[in-house]
Amino acid sequence: MKCRILHESAGRLRFHVEQKRMSLHQADILEYYLKSVKGVQNVRVYDRTGDAIVSYRCERSDLIQALACFSYQVAEYLVPEHTGRAVNREYEDKLTMTVVRRFAEKLFLPAPIQVALTGMRSGRYIKAALRSLAKRKIEVALLDGIAIFVSMLRKDYDTASSVMFLLKLGDILEEWTHKKSVDDLAQMMSLNVENVWRKNGDQEELVSLRDVKAGDVVVVRTGNMIPLDGRIIEGEASVNQASITGESLPAVKRPGSYVYAGTAIEEGECQMIVEKASGSGRYDKIVRMIEESEKLQSLSESKASHLADKLVPYNLAATALTYLLTRNATKALSILMVDFSCALKLSMPLAVLSAMRESSRYNITVKGGKYLEAIAQADTIVLDKTGTLTHASPRVAKIIPFGGNTEDEMLRLAACLEEHYPHSIANAVVQEAKVRKLEHEERHSRVEYVVAHGISSSVDGQKVVIGSHHFVFTDEHCRVPEGEEERFASIPEEYSHLYLAVAGTLAAVLCIEDPLRSEAPQVIAALKKLGNLRIVMMTGDNEKTAASIAKQVGVDAYYSEVLPEDKAAFVKAEHDAGRRVIMVGDGVNDSPALSASDAGIAIESGAAIAREIADVIISSDDLEALVTMKEISDALMRRIHSNFRFIIGFNTMLIGLGLAGVLMPGSSALLHNTSTIAISVKSMTDLVG
């Protein structure tokens, strides 16, 4: 690609693409291509000018080389189905045309034509008012319609025209922000699946999702996301499909049942035949679910909306009473021009949706406004250890074989079982096998995953289990080989342990190094400063490891060797004590607690079912996102309360000035609508930064 550098400084480059015109799609291709370059932090591409700004940490020569190799055809696959650029362009044009048309009419059209246009446009608002009356509902549309109708009757065409112009601007801004926020949210909730298990005869092979075609058979197990639309042909599974249907309870799927891309298996295993190789319908389903869901509305937002509706009859009553007492139509109309509802109903949703959009810029996906409110009001934060306080990519530090087995053979067997399930420790085992270049055949029969315990299967006719100490020795009654008890007792305790047993006898212990996130202590300290929060760590790991991590990060309390039901029970106990709870986790075993909490926060790199059930998803790269999430939530609540006080105070003042005869109807309408737009625009600004 030919381009010209316009300006550059340390870590920042602005360049112009040498082509006549850049389409919206081409701008998206260039932006997503540059974002895929290692070391690039941020990219903005301006399609109107053909310019782009890149912030980077990589070598400058690497970035220049990437630009030289770029072509629209090669990089087109990087662009998702929806990017939001078209939505922005649509509403930018609408807003610009509305303002330009308004000033052009005022400057160039003769007065009679302006009056005729005002009369034509007023019909829409008057019809809306009549519909409100027909439904026997006293709504904001009725106030707007009456105000415009009365202004027309009094031949105050400027006031009627100004009111309609400001209402039009408000409609565009509200619709734009809502659509953009929903679009951002839907993109963040889209599929995060790269590879799937595809059946190839009697074997399973791990292939890229892009290589799967209609008619292929794929295998999906507990905790995994269903990658494509299709029909189950074998097996049975409990599927969480809340992101598609909004159902709170999982649906049982059996052979013949249809399953949708993006839903997640809570329990069970199934084989499905793919019917749609492109999951394109998922985006539209998510958008529909978000728009119809009450999740978008926080309690504060809901209260403001109900209050707005309740205040409308008082506006009308005050208008009528003023006219009866003063017989002054101007004073009465001045009150009618002012309503609390418009500003309350516009600014509150904009504030919430803008907060959700701002969160997405920090790689935080929020599935509804009420969860922001729950985070702001939380008393207790429960944190999982593995993959949350520690890195999501632990590693195998040591393999201790028993019973005459070899390290490589035991690692090969462990990787063969673990590669089917999404967990950070399972990923560590599979990665270690790759590092040691150990290839394995699928020798095992059907694999059974026991949540928070381990995996059970059969290899060469012998039962094989891998998992926790409790699972292997208590549940499965396995034993340590005779004569190796002392060796077993000397296993290093500073590691997490994964026990592998064959035919009821311990075959190996895999020692997992689970390094603490460097930022974890600072994050815990920052969260405590943001509020009177009790921070608790819960883990299925052993007591010694849990105590060590808890001491390092500075949590208020910790619980070790807990099961999924223990975490959920703790959340319930906190609720019974009158406290609001945030749960942060990444695994299948965290799902019950994530579901039970007021706001469940999942780590992006965790299990699909955890992301599906969670109300908020944060990036796995940096735990600081928790602090940012809390800051945004607190700031949002302050903004909502500030907006509420301003709207009530300012509009009450306008009514008082109208009663005193200080403000004429046109001035009241102008000040009221201007304040509504101003506070709505303010509600769209960033909360933190």
Side-chain angles (χ1 to χ4, degrees):
M1 180 182 71
K2 293 181 66 176
C3 59
R4 175 166 43 92
I5 295 175
L6 302 176
H7 178 267
E8 68 176 304
S9 57
R12 188 176 183 274
L13 183 72
R14 183 185 184 106
F15 64 90
H16 175 75
V17 179
E18 298 289 355
Q19 63 183 73
K20 288 185 178 179
R21 179 181 173 276
M22 181 181 285
S23 68
L24 296 178
H25 185 54
Q26 286 176 332
D28 279 333
I29 295 173
L30 178 58
E31 182 172 317
Y32 279 87
Y33 170 76
L34 289 172
K35 284 180 178 177
S36 72
V37 176
K38 189 175 181 180
V40 170
Q41 294 176 289
N42 190 40
V43 181
R44 295 192 70 180
V45 178
Y46 302 91
D47 53 273
R48 293 183 191 274
T49 61
D51 294 348
I53 299 174
V54 183
S55 299
Y56 61 94
R57 282 184 178 173
C58 58
E59 293 293 329
R60 179 183 182 276
S61 57
D62 293 340
L63 178 60
I64 299 300
Q65 179 64 28
L67 286 171
C69 296
F70 171 77
S71 75
Y72 293 117
Q73 293 76 20
V74 171
E76 188 169 11
Y77 77 95
L78 293 169
V79 182
E81 187 181 359
H82 294 265
T83 66
R85 190 180 293 270
V87 171
N88 282 337
R89 175 55 53 81
E90 177 188 353
Y91 284 94
E92 283 171 5
D93 291 346
K94 277 185 180 181
L95 197 61
T96 302
M97 288 305 299
T98 300
V99 174
V100 169
R101 190 184 300 116
R102 167 74 176 172
F103 284 99
E105 288 174 0
K106 296 289 286 182
L107 289 172
F108 302 114
L109 290 183
I113 295 179
Q114 289 187 41
V115 170
L117 285 173
T118 301
M120 289 170 56
R121 289 168 183 162
S122 67
R124 167 192 164 193
Y125 297 96
I126 294 169
K127 283 180 182 177
L130 291 173
R131 282 197 296 269
S132 180
L133 282 174
K135 295 176 185 175
R136 297 182 180 180
K137 289 184 178 180
I138 302 177
E139 301 171 321
V140 177
L142 181 60
L143 284 182
D144 293 336
I146 292 174
I148 292 167
F149 180 69
V150 171
S151 296
M152 295 291 291
L153 282 181
R154 298 178 72 246
K155 298 184 179 180
D156 189 355
Y157 303 116
D158 281 343
T159 297
S161 178
S162 296
V163 170
M164 287 187 287
F165 169 66
L166 291 168
L167 288 173
K168 178 70 172 175
L169 284 183
D171 288 343
I172 293 172
L173 287 170
E174 180 182 11
E175 190 178 336
W176 183 7
T177 305
H178 184 270
K179 274 201 172 184
K180 182 67 174 73
S181 298
V182 169
D183 182 75
D184 289 344
L185 186 56
Q187 288 178 51
M188 292 293 289
M189 291 171 67
S190 293
L191 285 177
N192 186 23
V193 177
E194 295 181 0
N195 300 309
V196 298
W197 287 99
R198 182 175 65 185
K199 290 286 286 185
N200 183 7
D202 294 332
Q203 298 290 317
E204 296 176 19
E205 56 181 355
L206 192 63
V207 299
S208 169
L209 183 63
R210 300 179 190 278
D211 296 331
V212 177
K213 304 182 292 296
D216 285 348
V217 175
V218 299
V219 182
V220 193
R221 297 182 172 88
T222 299
N224 282 321
M225 187 172 282
I226 292 171
L228 300 161
D229 291 355
R231 197 172 299 279
I232 291 180
I233 58 173
E234 185 179 321
E236 183 176 309
S238 177
V239 179
N240 185 308
Q241 47 191 27
S243 64
I244 299 295
T245 65
E247 297 173 85
S248 58
L249 296 176
V252 177
K253 301 290 185 176
R254 299 182 176 89
S257 299
Y258 202 83
V259 288
Y260 301 96
T263 57
I265 293 185
E266 287 195 2
E267 189 177 354
E269 176 183 324
C270 66
Q271 294 181 22
M272 55 169 284
I273 186 166
V274 175
E275 293 196 357
K276 291 183 181 177
S278 136
S280 60
R282 174 164 167 77
Y283 174 87
D284 297 324
K285 291 170 187 173
I286 292 175
V287 169
R288 195 157 54 246
M289 184 274 290
I290 293 172
E291 289 179 334
E292 293 174 357
S293 174
E294 292 182 356
K295 286 181 181 178
L296 280 176
Q297 197 169 62
S298 67
L299 185 61
S300 298
E301 188 184 355
S302 180
K303 285 179 179 177
S305 179
H306 289 316
L307 178 62
D309 288 332
K310 288 179 181 178
L311 288 173
V312 173
Y314 293 103
N315 271 79
L316 286 173
T319 301
L321 185 62
T322 300
Y323 182 74
L324 289 173
L325 293 176
T326 66
R327 295 295 172 178
N328 187 321
T330 301
K331 288 185 177 182
L333 192 57
S334 294
I335 295 171
L336 188 62
M337 291 294 181
V338 180
D339 72 80
F340 299 90
S341 308
C342 188
L344 286 171
K345 282 193 168 181
L346 183 58
S347 66
M348 299 305 185
L350 287 182
V352 171
L353 287 168
S354 295
M356 293 167 67
R357 186 180 60 184
E358 183 180 352
S359 299
S360 70
R361 291 210 302 273
Y362 293 95
N363 295 320
I364 301 168
T365 304
V366 184
K367 297 181 182 178
K370 71 177 184 179
Y371 304 121
L372 292 169
E373 186 172 39
I375 291 169
Q377 296 174 352
D379 307 297
T380 304
I381 298 180
V382 181
L383 295 155
D384 175 48
K385 180 185 76 70
T386 305
T388 303
L389 289 173
T390 59
H391 281 286
S393 53
R395 69 178 190 87
V396 176
K398 187 179 292 188
I399 301 170
I400 305 173
F402 288 83
N405 294 300
T406 65
E407 285 190 25
D408 284 355
E409 185 59 31
M410 291 303 94
L411 178 59
R412 182 182 284 112
L413 179 58
C416 182
L417 299 173
E418 292 283 8
E419 68 180 345
H420 293 280
Y421 291 97
H423 190 274
S424 54
I425 290 179
N427 295 337
V429 174
V430 174
Q431 183 59 33
E432 182 65 17
K434 286 182 180 178
V435 169
R436 298 194 187 194
K437 298 180 180 179
L438 299 176
E439 296 183 3
H440 54 81
E441 297 176 358
E442 296 285 347
R443 294 184 295 144
H444 54 72
S445 61
R446 179 172 176 171
V447 180
E448 181 185 356
Y449 179 64
V450 184
V451 175
H453 285 71
I455 296 171
S456 174
S457 186
S458 177
V459 176
D460 298 333
Q462 294 183 311
K463 186 173 184 179
V464 178
V465 295
I466 184 170
S468 67
H469 185 283
H470 180 86
F471 174 58
V472 172
F473 293 103
T474 304
D475 293 348
E476 294 295 328
H477 308 291
C478 297
R479 59 181 179 81
V480 177
E482 190 175 342
E484 298 190 62
E485 291 84 1
E486 187 175 335
R487 187 161 178 257
F488 178 74
S490 65
I491 293 173
E493 293 186 358
E494 64 266 25
Y495 301 116
S496 297
H497 301 140
L498 195 61
Y499 300 90
L500 174 66
V502 178
T505 302
L506 180 67
V509 176
L510 285 75
C511 298
I512 310 295
E513 192 173 43
D514 201 12
L516 180 70
R517 291 178 185 266
S518 60
E519 75 274 13
Q522 290 75 28
V523 167
I524 299 300
L527 287 171
K528 288 181 178 180
K529 286 181 181 178
L530 288 173
N532 186 24
L533 291 168
R534 178 171 177 249
I535 302 180
V536 178
M537 183 188 82
M538 303 192 81
T539 177
D541 220 329
N542 63 72
E543 167 66 21
K544 187 170 182 178
T545 302
S548 173
I549 294 293
K551 184 178 179 180
Q552 291 179 65
V553 299
V555 294
D556 297 308
Y558 74 91
Y559 298 86
S560 62
E561 300 179 20
V562 297
L563 299 174
E565 53 266 33
D566 298 327
K567 294 181 181 180
F570 179 83
V571 172
K572 183 179 183 302
E574 290 292 289
H575 284 159
D576 292 342
R579 289 187 278 269
R580 284 178 170 262
V581 185
I582 299 171
M583 173 67 200
V584 187
D586 75 323
V588 175
N589 58 328
D590 299 315
S591 299
L594 288 169
S595 180
S597 62
D598 296 282
I601 302 178
I603 307 296
E604 188 178 32
S605 59
I609 187 62
R611 297 196 305 272
E612 185 77 5
I613 288 174
D615 310 307
V616 179
I617 302 169
I618 64 171
S619 168
S620 56
D621 296 334
D622 193 349
L623 211 56
E624 290 283 352
L626 281 176
V627 179
T628 304
M629 184 76 269
K630 177 65 175 165
E631 289 174 340
I632 289 175
S633 300
D634 291 347
L636 172 63
M637 290 301 105
R638 289 195 296 271
R639 176 169 287 176
I640 285 177
H641 296 145
S642 172
N643 285 357
F644 183 82
R645 289 192 297 269
F646 174 81
I647 291 165
I648 297 298
F650 187 81
N651 285 289
T652 300
M653 181 190 72
L654 291 183
I655 289 173
L657 292 174
L659 276 171
V662 175
L663 288 179
M664 294 297 101
S667 299
S668 291
L670 180 62
L671 288 171
H672 164 66
N673 285 285
T674 301
S675 70
T676 299
I677 297 297
I679 199 166
S680 297
V681 171
K682 178 178 177 291
S683 295
M684 294 163 62
T685 58
D686 288 347
L687 291 159
V688 300

